[in-house]
Amino acid sequence: MVDRMKGSAGHRGRRRRTALRHAALAVALALSCLMIGADPIHAVLGEFGDFEGDGKADLGVFVPVSPASATWFVLLSSGGTRGAIQGTSDDVPIVGDFDGDGLADRGTFRPGTRRWEIQLSGGGSIVRFIGPFGGQTIVPAPAAYYGATRTYIGQYDQTNGIFFVVPESIGGGTVTIVGLPGSIPVPADYDGDGKADLAVWLPSTGAFYAILSTGGTASAPIGQQGDIPVMADYDGDNRADLAIFRPSTGQWFAVLSGGGVASQVVGQQGDIPIPADYDGDNRADVAIYRPSSGLFFVVNSTGGATAAILGDGGDVPLTKRPSLPGAYPFDASAAPAGPPAPTRATATPTPSPARPASSPTPLPAASPAPPR
């Protein structure tokens, strides 16, 4: 949960800590990289964006300073930093390329009012109120629903299992009933056509279900109660793979769309999974953010690992999928459990982590575990 600061002394203390942390960032980052012999960390957010247009998205955190303000701090992959004041401690940070110019835009989603505010990199802004619509638990689910050239506003009603997607910046919208109340939205391109598919994962059963943009549906079991879905393209075939992170053991497990399964142990209870292409090879890397220490730890698919210290408890990593549980004013895992997964499917169900079809291969090559 985001820590809502109470009292002026708390506000001043948080602001002082934020200023000191930002001033010491360069030193902390250099030291953390020297510890493991790595280059400064770069974070690629997939469709969530790149703030400077160099093909690599940038590492950053959303700092909920108070109920009235929040700070964005970004470490550019080419060097230097950027900062901005946008949002409040009640907001969920949203990062995506909403104007299609190849640069990430800053955005916020306010669960209480369902207000979206996007500050476009090219100038101007988008403000949308999507509601009243749906049940009590509404989570943001932006994705490239109509093509990979830009991000579109979308949100998911966990109470009733309904997606609402805005096809353009202004005006209109489409409603799609998935029918799995209590599920977490995991939109991504599962069929490789360049468009994100409407997809959900049900925590109570580990059921995955998708409505494919090419037509038909897909379903499969993956994971169990307590797992966190981390769907991403781990094998570089331009299709998202079904994957989970198990906080109790630190295990990552993926069923690769290109065939086979893969696993890796990175992280511990309390870590936030932030898979993305951090090394620029078009494959998602296993990565975690540890709120207790502000540690980012990435196992690069090209080999080796990188680490950086940026942020502290209550800060939100910008690489975090905005609809996943934890670190926000709502908990997606707390939604009511829904019915069993639909039985119709166009994809052959794949084994759950408890029953792998073959010996797991590292996801990616084995690398040092993060410090505990």
Side-chain angles (χ1 to χ4, degrees):
M1 301 288 288
V2 170
D3 181 19
R4 296 190 64 173
M5 309 303 295
K6 296 181 179 180
S8 59
H11 295 171
R12 289 195 298 271
R14 183 57 185 270
R15 287 196 293 269
R16 284 196 297 269
R17 291 197 302 272
T18 299
L20 289 172
R21 184 167 68 251
H22 291 178
L25 175 62
V27 175
L29 179 60
L31 289 175
S32 64
C33 292
L34 287 173
M35 288 170 55
I36 59 175
D39 293 329
I41 190 171
H42 302 308
V44 174
L45 309 182
E47 70 179 22
F48 297 128
D50 166 16
F51 284 94
E52 57 182 332
D54 63 351
K56 298 179 180 180
D58 306 295
L59 179 67
V61 290
F62 175 83
V63 183
V65 178
S66 75
S69 68
T71 300
W72 295 64
F73 190 83
V74 178
L75 179 65
L76 301 176
S77 59
S78 62
T81 60
R82 289 183 185 175
I85 298 175
Q86 180 184 348
T88 75
S89 60
D90 291 325
D91 293 340
V92 176
I94 303 293
V95 179
D97 184 8
F98 290 87
D99 55 7
D101 65 352
L103 299 173
D105 307 309
R106 301 188 321 272
T108 56
F109 171 77
R110 189 161 299 166
T113 60
R114 302 165 194 178
R115 180 183 187 269
W116 293 73
E117 180 180 343
I118 311 296
Q119 296 296 324
L120 302 176
S121 57
S125 64
I126 299 171
V127 177
R128 295 277 291 172
F129 289 87
I130 304 180
F133 170 77
Q136 296 299 311
T137 309
I138 304 294
V139 296
Y145 293 106
Y146 299 95
T149 58
R150 56 170 289 189
T151 307
Y152 294 84
I153 290 175
Q155 59 190 43
Y156 183 66
D157 174 2
Q158 289 186 296
T159 305
N160 299 304
I162 300 174
F163 274 97
F164 185 86
V165 177
V166 179
E168 298 296 340
S169 314
I170 56 174
T174 60
V175 176
T176 303
I177 300 174
V178 177
L180 282 179
S183 57
I184 297 172
V186 288
D189 183 8
Y190 295 95
D191 53 12
D193 69 343
K195 299 178 181 179
D197 306 304
L198 301 176
V200 296
W201 182 80
L202 189 61
S204 60
T205 65
F208 166 83
Y209 181 75
I211 299 176
L212 303 176
S213 57
T214 52
T217 61
S219 66
I222 179 75
Q224 63 188 33
Q225 185 77 43
D227 292 346
I228 298 175
V230 287
M231 284 53 163
D233 182 8
Y234 294 96
D235 54 7
D237 65 351
N238 297 318
R239 292 182 293 169
D241 307 306
L242 304 188
I244 57 94
F245 168 66
R246 185 160 295 162
S248 60
T249 62
Q251 181 191 27
W252 294 63
F253 187 93
V255 178
L256 304 176
S257 56
V261 295
S263 69
Q264 177 70 297
V265 176
V266 176
Q268 63 186 37
Q269 193 75 42
D271 290 348
I272 299 174
I274 49 171
D277 183 8
Y278 290 82
D279 52 12
D281 67 345
N282 297 317
R283 291 182 293 171
D285 305 309
V286 170
I288 58 94
Y289 173 73
R290 186 161 295 164
S292 60
S293 62
L295 171 71
F296 284 84
F297 188 85
V298 181
V299 179
N300 299 310
S301 56
T302 52
T306 53
I309 303 296
L310 177 63
D312 63 9
D315 294 351
V316 181
L318 299 184
T319 41
K320 183 182 185 295
R321 271 52 173 175
S323 56
L324 294 187
Y328 294 133
F330 55 82
D331 186 348
S333 64
T343 56
R344 60 190 181 122
T346 57
T348 302
T350 48
S352 70
R355 302 183 301 278
S358 59
S359 298
T361 55
L363 177 66
S367 300
R372 293 181 178 270

